[in-house]
Structure formats: C-alpha cells, structure tokens
Amino acid sequence: MFRTKRSLLVRRLWRSRAPGELGEGEAEGRVHGAGGCCPGRSAKVSRAPLGSEAELKALTHSVLKRLKERQLEGLLQAVESKGGARSPCLLLPSTKLDPRLAQQPFPLPLLLCKVFRWPDLRHCSQAKRLSCCESYGKNNPELVCCNPHHLSRLCELESPPPPYTRYPMEFLKATDSQLLQESGDPSHWCVVAYWEEKTRVGRLYSVQEPSLDIFYDLPQGNGFCLGQLNSDNKSQLVQKVRSKIGYGIQLTKEVDGVWIYNRSSYPIFIKSATLDNPDSRTLLVHKVFPGFSIKAFDYEKAYSLQRPNDHEFMQQPWTGFTVQISFVKGWGQCYTRQFISSCPCWLEVIFNNR
C-alpha cells in the first residue's frame, strides 16, 4: 500500500516513543539512590493515567497528522537525536488541534513530553522550559512550543536528604580569585575548569554567552568540547567515564540564577553552597538524572552566605561562588570516593562575583 511521506514520518515518530513504564527495580533505584533529585517520592514510578494505549495512540496520531511536513521533520530530528541535534521550536496552539485535548488535565506540550520522553510526567510544574526555546519566559502565548526536547524535568531536592550524600568540605587547588585572574577576561560571568582526578586538563574556559554546552560528543555541538582536550591520563576508568559524557550538560545563566541541564545518558553529581543550609558544617552532593534540570547556583543566596565561624572552616578557601560537577561517578561517605578529586571526570565552575 502506498504511503505518503507524512504518514511515514508519523509512523517513525510513534515507533520512537518512550517506554510506557519504568521497571520496578529501576524506579526504586531512582528514588532511594537519588541523593536529592528523583522523578517521584513513591516506591514505584508509573505512567500517569491517560486511558488505554489505544487511546493514547489515537490522540497522538490525531495531533501529529495535523502538523505540517516540515514540523514533523523537525520533531523527528529532535526525538531521534534525543535532543543532541539542534531542532526548531514546534509552535502550536494549545488545544485547538484536537477537541479531546481540552478534556485532558495537561496541555499539548506535556502530552508530547509524556509520549516521547517521560511517561511518568504528571503536571506542568514538573517540567522546565529551556532558555533556547521561543516560549521561554512567556505566559499564556497564543502559540506554545511543543518540542519535547525544549523542556527538561525539574529536579526536586528531597528534605531531609539521605545521609550518604553528606561529605566534608574540601581544599581547593586554587582560590576563586586566583582562577578568575588566570582566566584573564574580566567580562565573563563564570569560568569552567575540567579535571580528571587530581589533574586539570586543558585551559580555563571563559563564559560570556548566557548559555554554554559542555560535552564530549554532541551533534552540531558548539561550546566547550571536552573531547578535543589533550589528556595524558591512561586510566581505563577515566577513559570509560570520559566516553560516557556524551551530550554532557548545558550551563545557563537565567534571571533567578544558574541552571544546569543534564543532557547526557548518565547521572551527574553536583555540589553547591547555595543548594544547602548555610548553617550546615557539610555540603550535600546532589544526584541529577538524565533529562533533569537543577538551579545549581543562586546569586542572592551566595551574597547572603557568611563564612562559618568555625576555625577549621576559616583555614579553607571560601567556596560560595564555586560549583563542582562530576560525570557518572558520585562521591561521599557511601561511595568509594570520598572527595571529588578522586572522581574520574569532573568540572569546577567559578562564578565572577564582581
């Protein structure tokens, strides 16, 4: 039977949908091993109710068949590359494409996110629009972007966090001011250093644009490519973790602070003074799953933080304007690595407090 190009695109999109449910073991691992960021708080994460699989397919096909061919191609590019390739905004009216959408408890962007990325997504408050999207920062626009890879899952910090995520503050190789002076560029808003275990690899990367991709291998990648750095580290573990960085992270300076979006296929681990109680003697390591975003740095909170009165803390460099990020491997009391300097591949982001 002869099929049009549009129908073939719709079929390819439906075959690229996300799995319907997480397995019980995977769901439990995400909740109990999250260390501060997880898809939900229940013991099992399951798909939010949306009728039967047949109803979901019918509704999705009804929406997709109303899209223009160019829109279908852009959506397919985003879905098949898993957000790695640059894809255009998919600007659509919220409910006019299908009257059945008006009966659903979520808008069209959420439907496509559930179909192609997160079947367990339940509410708009669980998703965050990326700053690269045309709908970013707009309230109730006539057209809204429905590209599922222009959104991320919002990382919720658990309270209280699991005890294994706590670890003592560490000595840094250089103070914030020394690293900022080394960058030699006063107009940047942050600099990024890449480390492999205790050795810094490559130069400091000075960031002036509001958004930066940090990656190892990213289609159409533009930013800080770790794969182009010359590393003398022959450790098999370092090489293995380095190859898993993949699409890496997106670092974005927004109105309310600095956000980190995990674009890779593996968790990342983040330590930031503004994520924790300022009176705590220890900072927390937060685990961020693929597809999730976290506000890793808050300028107002950082300025309000005071140096601890404890004499031991006073002997260490102040880390209030520094965020540390480890790829794939975590560190802390319940890991074999107690300090981030033992992690195979990690970043240090130093913010310009001037």
Side-chain angles (χ1 to χ4, degrees), residues 323-337:
V323 170
Q324 294 176 330
I325 307 159
S326 174
F327 294 103
V328 185
K329 301 296 184 180
W331 75 99
Q333 293 181 4
C334 281
Y335 289 91
T336 57
R337 301 165 187 84

Side-chain angles (χ1 to χ4, degrees), residues 165-169 271-273 276 280-285 319:
T165 61
R166 294 190 174 274
Y167 81 106
M169 293 180 68
K271 185 212 73 175
S272 170
D276 300 313
S280 175
R281 287 182 55 85
T282 56
L283 299 181
L284 306 180
V285 178
T319 59

Side-chain angles (χ1 to χ4, degrees), residues 192-196 201-203 205 213-218 223-231 241-242 245-249 325 327 345-347:
V192 180
Y194 171 62
W195 298 76
E196 290 179 352
V201 180
R203 63 181 178 87
Y205 194 96
D213 290 325
I214 305 174
F215 57 94
Y216 184 80
D217 183 16
L218 178 67
F224 190 9
C225 180
L226 305 180
Q228 293 181 348
L229 300 179
N230 294 321
S231 172
V241 171
R242 193 190 302 144
I245 295 174
Y247 295 173
I249 64 171
I325 307 159
F327 294 103
C345 304
W346 57 282
L347 301 170

Side-chain angles (χ1 to χ4, degrees), residues 142-272:
E142 293 184 4
L143 297 177
V144 62
C145 176
C146 299
N147 186 329
H149 286 277
H150 284 190
L151 290 98
S152 65
R153 286 290 293 268
L154 191 60
C155 186
E156 298 180 3
L157 303 182
E158 293 185 356
S159 180
Y164 65 77
T165 61
R166 294 190 174 274
Y167 81 106
M169 293 180 68
E170 301 175 50
F171 288 91
L172 298 180
K173 297 296 182 183
T175 63
D176 297 357
S177 59
Q178 288 173 332
L179 287 173
L180 290 173
Q181 289 172 5
E182 184 182 340
S183 69
D185 186 357
S187 63
H188 62 267
W189 60 271
C190 78
V191 295
V192 180
Y194 171 62
W195 298 76
E196 290 179 352
E197 297 173 328
K198 297 180 180 180
T199 303
R200 201 180 82 196
V201 180
R203 63 181 178 87
L204 289 176
Y205 194 96
S206 179
V207 185
Q208 295 179 322
E209 298 296 327
S211 182
L212 172 70
D213 290 325
I214 305 174
F215 57 94
Y216 184 80
D217 183 16
L218 178 67
Q220 305 174 359
N222 183 23
F224 190 9
C225 180
L226 305 180
Q228 293 181 348
L229 300 179
N230 294 321
S231 172
D232 296 328
N233 197 315
K234 305 301 182 183
S235 165
Q236 290 185 354
L237 179 60
V238 169
Q239 295 180 13
K240 182 178 180 180
V241 171
R242 193 190 302 144
S243 67
K244 290 183 177 181
I245 295 174
Y247 295 173
I249 64 171
Q250 188 175 84
L251 187 71
T252 307
K253 183 182 180 183
E254 303 185 22
V255 175
D256 60 342
V258 178
W259 286 80
I260 293 176
Y261 170 42
N262 184 4
R263 304 182 67 181
S264 74
S265 301
Y266 296 89
I268 60 174
F269 299 81
I270 297 178
K271 185 212 73 175
S272 170

Side-chain angles (χ1 to χ4, degrees), residues 40-61:
R41 300 188 185 278
S42 60
K44 183 176 181 179
V45 181
S46 59
R47 185 173 63 194
L50 183 65
S52 66
E53 180 79 4
E55 291 173 341
L56 175 63
K57 181 177 181 180
L59 180 58
T60 305
H61 275 63

